[in-house]
Amino acid sequence: MDLMRPTTMSQNLKALCDVNRIRILEILVQGEFCVTELVERLEIDQPKVSHHLAILRSAGVIRSRRDGRHINYSIRPTVHRREVTPAGPVDVFDLGPLAVSFRFTEGASAASLGTRPNRPSEEAGGALEMTA
């Protein structure tokens, strides 16, 4: 038995088990965004957004790219895939020993796009499914 596997799985789960990090993923599945755009959409301050991005990046879920003075973030293509199911699209994040899927709802996606306010106290939309 690989003794590091449960530790890695636990670290990956910790990276994904925060409402703001889930909201960031929900935005980033739509493409690449800079921190300023994420701050506007999430309506939380820049240091908090940067903190959450650092956690997701250290877990290998997202990547960053410098563009002049801005740093743009996107989902690592090797980690993310979208599956179409009868119940709607499912975003799967495959982190090696752990795969987590989110079913982001239409209303939650609209909130992430800034069409209605979405506060950190609101629950991120979608169902969570895990496979090990």
Side-chain angles (χ1 to χ4, degrees), residues 24 35 39 44-55 73:
I24 289 169
V35 174
V39 166
I44 59 176
D45 61 10
Q46 184 271 324
K48 287 181 184 174
V49 172
S50 294
H51 169 75
H52 291 301
L53 289 168
I55 291 170
Y73 291 89

Side-chain angles (χ1 to χ4, degrees), residues 23-105:
R23 291 173 64 212
I24 289 169
L25 292 176
E26 184 177 12
I27 294 169
L28 293 180
V29 297
Q30 300 163 30
E32 184 177 80
F33 293 86
C34 71
V35 174
T36 305
E37 293 168 318
L38 292 170
V39 166
E40 290 172 6
R41 290 172 187 235
L42 295 166
E43 296 182 344
I44 59 176
D45 61 10
Q46 184 271 324
K48 287 181 184 174
V49 172
S50 294
H51 169 75
H52 291 301
L53 289 168
I55 291 170
L56 290 169
R57 193 174 62 193
S58 70
V61 179
I62 64 172
R63 62 184 178 181
S64 61
R65 180 184 64 82
R66 182 170 289 280
D67 182 19
R69 293 182 344 169
H70 298 281
I71 298 177
N72 295 313
Y73 291 89
S74 61
I75 303 285
R76 286 190 179 280
T78 57
V79 170
H80 175 256
R81 72 180 180 276
R82 177 162 282 172
E83 297 178 354
V84 179
T85 69
V90 175
D91 290 286
V92 179
F93 297 88
D94 189 346
L95 304 173
L98 177 76
V100 178
S101 62
F102 294 98
R103 184 168 285 119
F104 295 124
T105 62

Side-chain angles (χ1 to χ4, degrees), residues 2-13 59 93-100 130-132:
D2 182 5
L3 298 177
M4 291 303 293
R5 184 178 172 157
T7 301
T8 302
M9 292 170 70
S10 175
Q11 290 170 344
N12 290 340
L13 272 176
F93 297 88
D94 189 346
L95 304 173
L98 177 76
V100 178
M130 294 181 286
T131 57

